[in-house]
C-alpha cells in the first residue's frame, strides 16, 4: 500500500505544478491584455476594416474628412436595434457595444445625400452603394439625406455589408476615442 500512496503524492505534486504553470500562463495573458487595452490597442474582428490589431491614437486636432476613427455609437433606438440584430459586437460603449472603426466622410455643414449610393456635397462616395436588406433578408432603412449638424460626423466603410451612417445617420463627435492606426492586420 505504501507504493500506491507514494504514487498518489507524486501525481498530486505533478498536478500542483501543472496548475501553477496554467495559473502563471493565465496571469501573463491577463496582464498582456490589460496592458494592451491601457495602451490603446484593440483587436478588430469585423470585416468593415482589416482584421487584426489596431491602436487608438489620440486626436489632438478637430476631426476631418478621411480620418479613420475609433468611435462609440450613441445609445439610440437605431443602435439598440442594430445590437439586437447582431450588427455590433459586445463592448464598453453605451448600449454595451464595441467601438466602431469607420472613416469620416462628412463633417458639420456638409450635405450627405442618400440615394442608390452616398454623395457628399454632390460628390459620389466610392463603394457606398446601399442595400435594402441585410444578410438575413431583414429590411434596412437608409438614413434621410441632410446637412451634418454641428458636433456630428457622417461615417462610412467601403465594406459592402457595413452598417454605418448610410443607415444610422450622423453620430456625435463626442464618441470619438481617436484615430485608428493599423498595427498588425490581415485582409482576407
Amino acid at each position: 500500500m505504501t507504493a500506491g500512496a507514494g504514487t498518489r503524492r507524486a501525481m498530486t505534486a505533478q498536478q500542483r505544478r501543472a496548475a501553477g504553470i496554467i495559473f502563471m500562463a493565465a496571469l501573463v495573458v491577463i496582464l498582456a491584455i490589460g496592458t494592451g487595452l491601457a495602451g490603446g490597442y484593440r483587436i478588430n474582428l469585423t470585416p468593415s476594416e482589416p482584421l487584426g490589431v489596431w491602436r487608438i491614437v489620440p486626436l489632438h486636432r478637430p476631426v476631418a474628412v478621411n480620418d479613420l476613427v475609433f468611435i462609440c455609437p450613441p445609445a439610440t433606438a437605431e443602435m439598440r436595434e442594430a445590437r439586437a440584430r447582431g450588427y455590433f459586437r459586445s463592448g464598453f460603449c453605451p448600449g454595451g457595444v464595441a467601438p466602431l472603426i469607420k472613416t469620416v466622410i462628412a463633417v458639420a455643414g456638409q450635405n450627405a445625400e442618400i440615394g442608390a449610393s452616398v454623395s457628399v456635397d454632390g460628390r459620389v462616395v466610392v463603394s457606398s452603394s446601399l442595400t435594402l436588406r441585410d444578410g438575413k433578408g431583414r429590411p434596412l432603412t437608409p438614413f434621410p439625406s441632410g446637412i451634418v449638424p454641428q458636433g456630428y460626423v457622417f461615417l462610412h466603410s467601403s465594406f459592402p455589408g457595413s452598417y454605418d451612417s448610410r443607415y444610422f445617420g450622423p453620430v456625435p463627435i463626442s464618441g470619438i476615442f481617436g484615430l485608428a492606426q493599423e498595427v498588425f492586420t490581415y485582409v482576407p
Side-chain angles (χ1 to χ4, degrees):
M1 278 208 163
T2 56
T7 304
R8 267 188 245 126
R9 272 186 245 129
M11 287 176 34
T12 302
Q14 222 173 12
Q15 289 172 340
R16 278 195 300 263
R17 277 194 296 273
I21 290 169
I22 291 170
F23 174 77
M24 291 305 289
L27 186 61
V28 167
V29 168
I30 289 168
L31 287 173
I33 290 171
T35 301
L37 290 174
Y41 291 89
R42 300 293 186 270
I43 296 175
N44 178 43
L45 300 172
T46 67
S48 290
E49 293 298 335
L51 307 175
V53 178
W54 291 74
R55 182 170 177 250
I56 300 171
V57 178
L59 185 60
H60 299 295
R61 58 169 173 75
V63 67
V65 171
N66 294 323
D67 281 346
L68 184 63
V69 297
F70 272 98
I71 186 167
C72 271
T76 62
E78 293 86 6
M79 297 305 175
R80 285 190 292 279
E81 174 69 18
R83 175 76 173 109
R85 286 183 170 202
Y87 300 162
F88 298 140
R89 298 204 183 278
S90 296
F92 57 83
C93 291
V97 300
L100 309 176
I101 304 174
K102 302 288 182 196
T103 300
V104 175
I105 62 168
V107 294
Q110 292 188 287
N111 186 27
E113 297 177 45
I114 312 292
S117 61
V118 177
S119 295
V120 175
D121 291 339
R123 289 183 299 266
V124 175
V125 176
V126 177
S127 300
S128 67
S129 298
L130 267 73
T131 183
L132 299 178
R133 299 214 171 269
D134 68 11
K136 293 185 177 180
R138 297 172 292 198
L140 287 171
T141 304
F143 185 79
S145 301
I147 303 292
V148 177
Q150 192 67 35
Y152 284 74
V153 291
F154 200 89
L155 304 173
H156 174 67
S157 169
S158 60
F159 177 69
S162 178
Y163 190 72
D164 53 33
S165 288
R166 291 176 275 191
Y167 307 102
F168 56 72
V171 294
I173 60 174
S174 60
I176 295 176
F177 290 116
L179 298 172
Q181 179 184 62
E182 293 182 60
V183 176
F184 181 76
T185 59
Y186 167 74
V187 178

